[in-house]
Amino acid sequence: MRTLVIDNPASRMHRVPPGHPEHEGRYTAVREALAGLAQPVWHAAKPSGIAAVERFHTADYVERVRAACLTAGPSEWIALDLDTKVCRESWDAALATAGGAIDAVDRIMAGGADAAFCLARPPGHHAEPDRAMGFCLLNSIAIAALHALDVHKLSRVAIIDIDVHHGNGSQCLAEIDERVFFGSLHQSPLYPGTGAAAETGLNGNVVNLPLMAGTGGAAWREAFETGLRPALAAFRPDFIFVSAGFDAHERDPAGGLALLEADFAWAATELASLAAEFASSRLVSVLEGGYDCPALGRSAAAFVHALAEA
Ligand SMILES: [Zn+2]
């Protein structure tokens, strides 16, 4: 697939307190790993407008996050929840992360590429319409999905979440919008505690595949093939979005699954084949978690390389 990397250098400016796992080094690790790949074309992320953000988030919430960031002093952090903290520059980083995902959709819809990987932080899939949580400020994947539906007038889009944590914020969208399919493979029990198999959304547009700690690549791939692929095929999305977290890697300190780089490459190839079958090869992936920097870099590179080779 003709593949883009949408790069958000403002990711470096979203600083967090010392010892926080979602730190600037994650961006650098992925950037350096992707720099060694020949195929993808790179573009710089553009900040999102507020109207696009407010397709998913409430205006009150957007103003609350913006105000928290902009009132932070030069060396100060403001806590939005127990583990989600912002500095003055976090607002620009979050807007550019959402804007990068939107730009990826626009470039693909214009025919300039098939697939994209958005290299950006902060992550987004835990952010709910009116609530920051789990290191996430703006839910970029939900914002980009709504952009594809409302601006490009697509009928149905799918969000597939391969992060080790359940994407509770993205599921919120599918629970109120039948045009959205949400499918997630995640460890359970684990933060944020949502994502039971019994959570099925509207007419089955939510598919949760909770997996026990210790689950390795073979069982993970089987869950994808038997639990997710048929439901996704039945939904027939016009566009596939991927919350590409790499914290299901066996080395990751935030989760207990046991995936390897080859499993993320396999997932990219599978998702690309589903996109080719149903969605005119249209696929946008956005970086979510991944907290062991060497494993994160290698996993993201394996994922993007497999997309480009698909
Ligand atoms: Zn995660």
Side-chain angles (χ1 to χ4, degrees), residues 279-294:
S280 306
S281 295
R282 298 185 283 235
L283 185 153
V284 166
S285 54
V286 178
L287 177 65
E288 301 279 5
Y291 303 99
D292 178 275
C293 283

Side-chain angles (χ1 to χ4, degrees), residues 238-249:
D238 298 321
F239 206 118
I240 293 180
F241 292 87
V242 185
S243 266
F246 299 100
D247 43 10
H249 192 281

